[in-house]
Amino acid sequence: MDKLARVSEVSQTEVKSEINPPLGQGLVKVTETIAKTTASEPLETPVTVEVKESPKPEKAALEAKPQPPKLLTIEKLNFYFGDHKVLKDVDLPILENSITSLIGPSGCGKTTLLRCFNRMHDLYPNNHYEGKIVMDGRNILDKGEDLIWLRSRLGMVFQKPTPFPMSVYDNIAYGLKLKKITNKPLVRELVEKSLKQANLWEEVKDRLKESALGLSGGQQQRLSIARSLAVSPAVLLFDEATSALDPISSAKIEEMMVELKKEVTMVVVTHNMQQAARISDYTALMWLGSLVEYGATTDIFTRPKMKMTEQYVAGNFG
Protein backbone atom coordinates (compact mmCIF):
# COMPACT_ATOMS: atom_id res chain seq x y z
CA MET A 1 0.00 0.00 0.00
CA ASP A 2 1.19 3.51 -0.73
CA LYS A 3 2.71 5.03 2.37
CA LEU A 4 0.68 8.22 1.91
CA ALA A 5 -2.52 6.19 2.21
CA ARG A 6 -1.58 5.37 5.82
CA VAL A 7 -1.84 9.00 6.87
CA SER A 8 -5.26 9.26 8.48
CA GLU A 9 -5.14 12.73 9.97
CA VAL A 10 -3.17 15.87 9.15
CA SER A 11 -3.48 19.01 11.20
CA GLN A 12 -1.76 22.12 9.99
CA THR A 13 -1.59 25.40 11.79
CA GLU A 14 -2.18 28.55 9.80
CA VAL A 15 0.78 29.82 7.84
CA LYS A 16 1.23 33.45 8.58
CA SER A 17 3.31 36.13 7.01
CA GLU A 18 3.45 39.83 7.68
CA ILE A 19 1.51 42.03 5.25
CA ASN A 20 4.02 44.06 3.31
CA PRO A 21 6.96 43.44 5.67
CA PRO A 22 9.70 46.10 5.67
CA LEU A 23 12.16 45.76 2.84
CA GLY A 24 15.22 43.74 3.78
CA GLN A 25 13.36 41.58 6.32
CA GLY A 26 14.22 38.24 4.81
CA LEU A 27 12.65 35.57 7.04
CA VAL A 28 9.09 34.51 6.48
CA LYS A 29 7.30 33.16 9.57
CA VAL A 30 6.00 29.65 9.09
CA THR A 31 4.91 26.81 11.35
CA GLU A 32 5.66 23.15 11.02
CA THR A 33 3.13 20.79 9.53
CA ILE A 34 2.43 18.01 11.98
CA ALA A 35 1.43 14.70 10.44
CA LYS A 36 -0.15 12.04 12.59
CA THR A 37 -0.57 8.40 11.54
CA THR A 38 -2.52 5.55 13.04
CA ALA A 39 -0.12 2.97 11.58
CA SER A 40 2.06 1.08 14.03
CA GLU A 41 5.13 1.70 11.95
CA PRO A 42 6.50 5.21 11.35
CA LEU A 43 6.86 6.54 7.84
CA GLU A 44 10.20 5.57 6.40
CA THR A 45 10.70 9.10 5.07
CA PRO A 46 10.03 11.69 7.79
CA VAL A 47 7.85 14.67 6.92
CA THR A 48 9.72 17.91 7.43
CA VAL A 49 9.11 21.59 6.76
CA GLU A 50 12.10 23.58 5.69
CA VAL A 51 12.38 27.24 6.67
CA LYS A 52 14.32 29.13 4.08
CA GLU A 53 15.45 32.71 3.98
CA SER A 54 13.63 34.58 1.27
CA PRO A 55 15.77 36.11 -1.43
CA LYS A 56 17.17 39.51 -0.59
CA PRO A 57 15.42 42.29 -2.48
CA GLU A 58 17.33 43.83 -5.30
CA LYS A 59 18.97 47.15 -4.70
CA ALA A 60 16.46 48.95 -6.88
CA ALA A 61 13.59 47.63 -4.76
CA LEU A 62 15.18 49.02 -1.62
CA GLU A 63 15.28 52.52 -2.98
CA ALA A 64 12.28 54.69 -2.20
CA LYS A 65 10.13 55.80 -5.06
CA PRO A 66 10.99 59.34 -6.15
CA GLN A 67 8.59 61.90 -4.73
CA PRO A 68 7.04 64.73 -6.72
CA PRO A 69 8.58 68.17 -6.19
CA LYS A 70 7.42 70.25 -3.24
CA LEU A 71 4.88 72.91 -4.10
CA LEU A 72 4.48 74.20 -0.54
CA THR A 73 6.89 73.81 2.36
CA ILE A 74 5.72 74.52 5.90
CA GLU A 75 8.63 75.25 8.24
CA LYS A 76 8.35 75.61 12.03
CA LEU A 77 4.86 77.06 11.73
CA ASN A 78 3.22 78.43 14.86
CA PHE A 79 -0.13 80.16 14.88
CA TYR A 80 -1.80 82.16 17.63
CA PHE A 81 -5.39 83.21 18.27
CA GLY A 82 -4.52 86.22 20.39
CA ASP A 83 -2.14 84.86 23.03
CA HIS A 84 -3.33 81.27 22.62
CA LYS A 85 -0.89 79.10 20.65
CA VAL A 86 -2.90 76.80 18.41
CA LEU A 87 -0.30 75.35 16.01
CA LYS A 88 3.06 74.22 17.35
CA ASP A 89 6.22 73.92 15.22
CA VAL A 90 4.53 72.25 12.25
CA ASP A 91 6.86 71.06 9.47
CA LEU A 92 5.07 69.64 6.45
CA PRO A 93 5.67 69.35 2.69
CA ILE A 94 2.83 69.58 0.18
CA LEU A 95 3.88 67.72 -2.95
CA GLU A 96 2.89 68.78 -6.44
CA ASN A 97 0.08 66.98 -8.32
CA SER A 98 -0.95 65.01 -5.27
CA ILE A 99 -3.72 64.91 -2.68
CA THR A 100 -2.69 65.37 0.95
CA SER A 101 -5.25 64.62 3.66
CA LEU A 102 -5.13 66.23 7.09
CA ILE A 103 -6.74 63.93 9.65
CA GLY A 104 -7.21 64.00 13.40
CA PRO A 105 -9.93 64.47 16.02
CA SER A 106 -11.98 67.64 16.29
CA GLY A 107 -10.00 70.57 17.66
CA CYS A 108 -6.61 69.15 16.71
CA GLY A 109 -5.70 72.03 14.36
CA LYS A 110 -6.49 70.64 10.89
CA THR A 111 -8.67 73.49 9.69
CA THR A 112 -6.49 76.08 11.42
CA LEU A 113 -3.50 74.77 9.48
CA LEU A 114 -5.46 74.68 6.21
CA ARG A 115 -6.51 78.33 6.59
CA CYS A 116 -2.91 79.39 7.13
CA PHE A 117 -2.14 78.40 3.53
CA ASN A 118 -4.20 81.21 2.01
CA ARG A 119 -4.10 83.53 5.01
CA MET A 120 -7.81 83.29 5.84
CA HIS A 121 -6.95 84.09 9.45
CA ASP A 122 -5.99 87.60 8.36
CA LEU A 123 -9.69 88.41 8.12
CA TYR A 124 -9.88 88.46 11.92
CA PRO A 125 -7.90 90.68 14.32
CA ASN A 126 -5.27 89.67 16.89
CA ASN A 127 -4.09 86.55 15.04
CA HIS A 128 -0.47 86.08 14.06
CA TYR A 129 1.91 83.57 12.50
CA GLU A 130 5.47 82.47 13.19
CA GLY A 131 7.60 80.39 10.85
CA LYS A 132 7.33 80.02 7.09
CA ILE A 133 5.12 78.68 4.33
CA VAL A 134 7.22 78.77 1.19
CA MET A 135 5.70 78.77 -2.30
CA ASP A 136 7.40 79.79 -5.54
CA GLY A 137 10.46 80.75 -3.51
CA ARG A 138 8.61 83.28 -1.34
CA ASN A 139 7.33 83.15 2.22
CA ILE A 140 3.60 83.69 1.81
CA LEU A 141 3.32 84.66 5.49
CA ASP A 142 5.29 87.88 4.91
CA LYS A 143 3.28 90.94 5.86
CA GLY A 144 3.72 92.51 2.43
CA GLU A 145 2.30 89.52 0.55
CA ASP A 146 -0.34 90.22 -2.11
CA LEU A 147 -3.36 88.39 -0.68
CA ILE A 148 -5.42 88.68 -3.87
CA TRP A 149 -2.66 86.90 -5.78
CA LEU A 150 -2.28 84.37 -2.97
CA ARG A 151 -5.97 83.46 -2.81
CA SER A 152 -6.17 83.06 -6.57
CA ARG A 153 -3.22 80.66 -6.38
CA LEU A 154 -4.68 78.76 -3.43
CA GLY A 155 -8.44 78.40 -3.85
CA MET A 156 -10.62 77.20 -1.00
CA VAL A 157 -13.78 75.06 -0.88
CA PHE A 158 -15.68 75.20 2.39
CA GLN A 159 -17.85 72.66 4.19
CA LYS A 160 -21.03 74.49 3.22
CA PRO A 161 -21.53 75.32 -0.49
CA THR A 162 -21.08 79.02 -1.22
CA PRO A 163 -22.89 79.89 -4.45
CA PHE A 164 -23.26 83.59 -5.18
CA PRO A 165 -26.84 84.91 -5.66
CA MET A 166 -26.45 85.15 -9.43
CA SER A 167 -26.62 82.87 -12.45
CA VAL A 168 -24.59 79.69 -12.81
CA TYR A 169 -22.60 81.34 -15.61
CA ASP A 170 -21.91 84.53 -13.64
CA ASN A 171 -20.76 82.51 -10.62
CA ILE A 172 -17.92 81.10 -12.70
CA ALA A 173 -17.19 84.32 -14.59
CA TYR A 174 -16.97 86.40 -11.39
CA GLY A 175 -13.39 85.42 -10.56
CA LEU A 176 -12.34 85.94 -14.18
CA LYS A 177 -13.60 89.52 -14.03
CA LEU A 178 -11.51 90.11 -10.90
CA LYS A 179 -8.50 88.95 -12.91
CA LYS A 180 -9.52 91.44 -15.64
CA ILE A 181 -10.32 88.70 -18.16
CA THR A 182 -13.07 90.36 -20.19
CA ASN A 183 -12.79 88.73 -23.62
CA LYS A 184 -16.24 87.13 -23.98
CA PRO A 185 -15.26 84.12 -26.12
CA LEU A 186 -12.40 83.37 -23.70
CA VAL A 187 -14.69 83.76 -20.69
CA ARG A 188 -17.22 81.34 -22.23
CA GLU A 189 -14.44 78.86 -22.92
CA LEU A 190 -13.12 79.03 -19.37
CA VAL A 191 -16.59 78.75 -17.85
CA GLU A 192 -17.27 75.59 -19.83
CA LYS A 193 -13.83 74.15 -19.07
CA SER A 194 -14.11 74.65 -15.31
CA LEU A 195 -17.63 73.20 -15.19
CA LYS A 196 -16.39 70.12 -17.05
CA GLN A 197 -13.45 69.80 -14.66
CA ALA A 198 -15.91 69.87 -11.75
CA ASN A 199 -18.09 67.14 -13.37
CA LEU A 200 -20.99 69.59 -13.58
CA TRP A 201 -21.22 70.68 -17.23
CA GLU A 202 -23.67 68.02 -18.42
CA GLU A 203 -26.04 68.84 -15.56
CA VAL A 204 -26.12 72.64 -16.02
CA LYS A 205 -25.24 73.35 -19.65
CA ASP A 206 -28.89 74.20 -20.34
CA ARG A 207 -29.27 76.17 -17.11
CA LEU A 208 -26.37 78.59 -17.29
CA LYS A 209 -28.60 81.66 -17.05
CA GLU A 210 -30.63 80.32 -14.13
CA SER A 211 -29.90 81.19 -10.52
CA ALA A 212 -27.23 79.04 -8.90
CA LEU A 213 -29.39 78.98 -5.76
CA GLY A 214 -31.75 76.60 -7.56
CA LEU A 215 -29.13 73.86 -7.79
CA SER A 216 -28.98 70.93 -5.37
CA GLY A 217 -26.50 70.97 -2.50
CA GLY A 218 -24.08 68.66 -4.31
CA GLN A 219 -24.33 70.72 -7.49
CA GLN A 220 -23.74 73.94 -5.55
CA GLN A 221 -20.59 72.45 -4.03
CA ARG A 222 -19.27 71.43 -7.45
CA LEU A 223 -20.15 74.92 -8.70
CA SER A 224 -18.01 76.36 -5.90
CA ILE A 225 -15.16 74.10 -7.00
CA ALA A 226 -15.63 75.15 -10.64
CA ARG A 227 -15.52 78.81 -9.63
CA SER A 228 -12.15 78.23 -7.96
CA LEU A 229 -10.84 76.25 -10.94
CA ALA A 230 -11.74 79.03 -13.40
CA VAL A 231 -8.86 81.22 -12.16
CA SER A 232 -6.30 78.40 -12.58
CA PRO A 233 -5.15 77.85 -8.98
CA ALA A 234 -2.02 75.87 -8.18
CA VAL A 235 -3.63 74.44 -5.03
CA LEU A 236 -7.19 73.71 -3.95
CA LEU A 237 -7.93 73.57 -0.22
CA PHE A 238 -10.92 71.45 0.84
CA ASP A 239 -12.30 72.01 4.35
CA GLU A 240 -14.52 68.93 4.87
CA ALA A 241 -16.07 69.75 1.51
CA THR A 242 -18.15 66.54 1.30
CA SER A 243 -19.19 66.10 4.94
CA ALA A 244 -22.64 67.66 4.42
CA LEU A 245 -23.39 65.90 1.13
CA ASP A 246 -25.17 62.68 0.25
CA PRO A 247 -23.06 59.65 -0.77
CA ILE A 248 -23.73 60.08 -4.50
CA SER A 249 -22.65 63.74 -4.49
CA SER A 250 -19.61 62.90 -2.35
CA ALA A 251 -18.60 60.16 -4.79
CA LYS A 252 -18.80 62.56 -7.73
CA ILE A 253 -16.54 65.05 -5.97
CA GLU A 254 -14.05 62.33 -4.98
CA GLU A 255 -13.95 61.09 -8.57
CA MET A 256 -13.36 64.65 -9.75
CA MET A 257 -10.54 65.17 -7.24
CA VAL A 258 -8.65 62.05 -8.27
CA GLU A 259 -8.85 63.07 -11.92
CA LEU A 260 -8.04 66.71 -11.20
CA LYS A 261 -4.78 66.09 -9.36
CA LYS A 262 -3.07 65.76 -12.74
CA GLU A 263 -3.45 69.54 -12.97
CA VAL A 264 -4.01 70.85 -9.43
CA THR A 265 -2.49 69.99 -6.06
CA MET A 266 -5.03 69.44 -3.29
CA VAL A 267 -5.03 69.57 0.51
CA VAL A 268 -8.06 68.00 2.18
CA VAL A 269 -9.31 68.23 5.75
CA THR A 270 -11.49 65.21 6.51
CA HIS A 271 -12.88 63.23 9.43
CA ASN A 272 -13.71 60.38 7.08
CA MET A 273 -10.91 57.83 7.33
CA GLN A 274 -12.26 55.83 4.40
CA GLN A 275 -12.26 58.92 2.23
CA ALA A 276 -8.67 59.75 3.17
CA ALA A 277 -7.62 56.20 2.32
CA ARG A 278 -9.49 56.27 -1.01
CA ILE A 279 -8.37 59.57 -2.49
CA SER A 280 -5.17 60.81 -0.87
CA ASP A 281 -1.57 60.12 -1.80
CA TYR A 282 -0.18 61.47 1.47
CA THR A 283 -1.70 61.80 4.93
CA ALA A 284 -0.80 63.89 7.98
CA LEU A 285 -2.16 63.23 11.47
CA MET A 286 -2.63 66.25 13.73
CA TRP A 287 -3.03 66.17 17.51
CA LEU A 288 -3.43 69.20 19.81
CA GLY A 289 -1.87 71.54 17.28
CA SER A 290 1.16 69.37 16.52
CA LEU A 291 1.97 67.12 13.59
CA VAL A 292 2.13 63.53 14.87
CA GLU A 293 3.05 61.74 11.66
CA TYR A 294 3.19 62.37 7.92
CA GLY A 295 3.78 59.90 5.11
CA ALA A 296 2.37 58.04 2.14
CA THR A 297 -1.26 57.16 2.82
CA THR A 298 -0.64 53.42 2.45
CA ASP A 299 2.07 53.64 5.12
CA ILE A 300 -0.04 55.72 7.50
CA PHE A 301 -2.93 53.25 7.32
CA THR A 302 -1.01 49.96 7.21
CA ARG A 303 2.48 50.60 8.62
CA PRO A 304 2.35 53.68 10.86
CA LYS A 305 5.49 54.54 12.78
CA MET A 306 3.72 56.13 15.75
CA LYS A 307 1.49 54.26 18.20
CA MET A 308 -0.95 57.17 18.28
CA THR A 309 -1.38 56.98 14.51
CA GLU A 310 -2.07 53.26 14.70
CA GLN A 311 -4.70 53.79 17.38
CA TYR A 312 -6.37 56.68 15.54
CA VAL A 313 -6.71 55.02 12.14
CA ALA A 314 -8.00 51.89 13.92
CA GLY A 315 -10.76 54.02 15.46
CA ASN A 316 -9.64 53.57 19.06
CA PHE A 317 -10.11 57.30 19.76
CA GLY A 318 -11.18 60.48 18.05
Side-chain angles (χ1 to χ4, degrees):
M1 180 181 294
D2 194 321
K3 296 176 182 178
L4 293 178
R6 291 183 291 159
V7 179
S8 60
E9 180 183 359
V10 176
S11 65
Q12 182 174 355
T13 59
E14 185 180 8
V15 178
K16 298 181 180 180
S17 64
E18 294 183 359
I19 299 176
N20 297 325
L23 290 173
Q25 182 172 321
L27 294 178
V28 178
K29 297 178 181 179
V30 299
T31 56
E32 291 185 0
T33 299
I34 305 173
K36 297 179 180 179
T37 177
T38 56
S40 57
E41 297 179 1
L43 294 176
E44 295 180 4
T45 305
V47 177
T48 61
V49 174
E50 186 178 1
V51 180
K52 294 183 178 180
E53 183 176 356
S54 60
K56 294 181 179 180
E58 297 180 2
K59 182 178 180 181
L62 292 171
E63 296 176 356
K65 293 182 180 180
Q67 289 185 333
K70 295 178 184 178
L71 186 60
L72 286 164
T73 304
I74 296 90
E75 301 176 0
K76 301 298 179 186
L77 176 64
N78 297 293
F79 178 74
Y80 298 79
F81 286 122
D83 295 328
H84 179 53
K85 190 175 184 179
V86 182
L87 296 179
K88 306 165 187 176
D89 294 324
V90 175
D91 291 295
L92 180 68
I94 302 298
L95 303 183
E96 192 172 6
N97 298 120
S98 65
I99 300 175
T100 300
S101 287
L102 304 179
I103 63 173
S106 297
C108 69
K110 305 183 301 295
T111 295
T112 300
L113 175 59
L114 191 77
R115 296 187 178 199
C116 288
F117 294 153
N118 65 350
R119 302 274 295 272
M120 291 294 290
H121 298 300
D122 290 34
L123 298 174
Y124 307 97
N126 302 320
N127 301 330
H128 68 279
Y129 314 85
E130 294 175 350
K132 294 181 179 181
I133 300 179
V134 179
M135 180 178 184
D136 296 338
R138 54 205 277 185
N139 180 14
I140 62 178
L141 298 181
D142 286 343
K143 292 183 178 180
E145 187 59 72
D146 182 349
L147 296 185
I148 294 177
W149 169 87
L150 177 63
R151 289 168 187 162
S152 67
R153 294 283 287 157
L154 293 97
M156 192 160 198
V157 182
F158 298 92
Q159 181 176 9
K160 184 178 179 180
T162 55
F164 297 157
M166 54 183 70
S167 72
V168 171
Y169 184 94
D170 288 339
N171 260 269
I172 308 301
Y174 185 82
L176 299 173
K177 292 177 181 178
L178 291 179
K179 293 189 71 175
K180 304 188 184 305
I181 300 174
T182 57
N183 182 283
K184 289 186 178 180
L186 177 58
V187 171
R188 283 196 297 269
E189 179 184 337
L190 293 174
V191 168
E192 180 176 342
K193 178 184 176 182
S194 60
L195 286 170
K196 286 180 176 178
Q197 287 178 311
N199 285 346
L200 188 58
W201 173 253
E202 293 299 325
E203 299 171 42
V204 301
K205 64 182 180 181
D206 298 323
R207 304 171 61 186
L208 296 178
K209 298 304 179 183
E210 297 179 15
S211 172
L213 301 180
L215 300 177
S216 69
Q219 290 173 329
Q220 288 182 1
Q221 190 67 301
R222 281 180 284 152
L223 181 70
S224 301
I225 295 170
R227 189 174 60 218
S228 295
L229 290 171
V231 296
S232 301
V235 181
L236 273 182
L237 310 171
F238 291 84
D239 188 6
E240 298 189 63
T242 63
S243 63
L245 302 180
D246 61 274
I248 294 175
S249 296
S250 297
K252 288 182 178 180
I253 290 178
E254 288 183 10
E255 179 184 353
M256 176 270 300
M257 293 169 70
V258 172
E259 181 65 25
L260 196 60
K261 72 179 181 180
K262 299 173 184 176
E263 305 174 43
V264 182
T265 300
M266 283 164 275
V267 185
V268 180
V269 166
T270 181
H271 280 98
N272 188 326
M273 293 298 96
Q274 291 78 19
Q275 182 181 70
R278 281 193 302 266
I279 68 172
S280 59
D281 303 290
Y282 302 94
T283 299
L285 173 65
M286 300 288 295
W287 173 254
L288 297 179
S290 298
L291 178 65
V292 175
E293 186 171 352
Y294 164 82
T297 297
T298 52
D299 293 336
I300 293 294
F301 280 87
T302 63
R303 296 179 294 273
K305 297 177 182 177
M306 306 298 293
K307 188 68 175 178
M308 180 180 289
T309 307
E310 180 183 355
Q311 292 177 340
Y312 183 76
V313 299
N316 293 336
F317 73 96

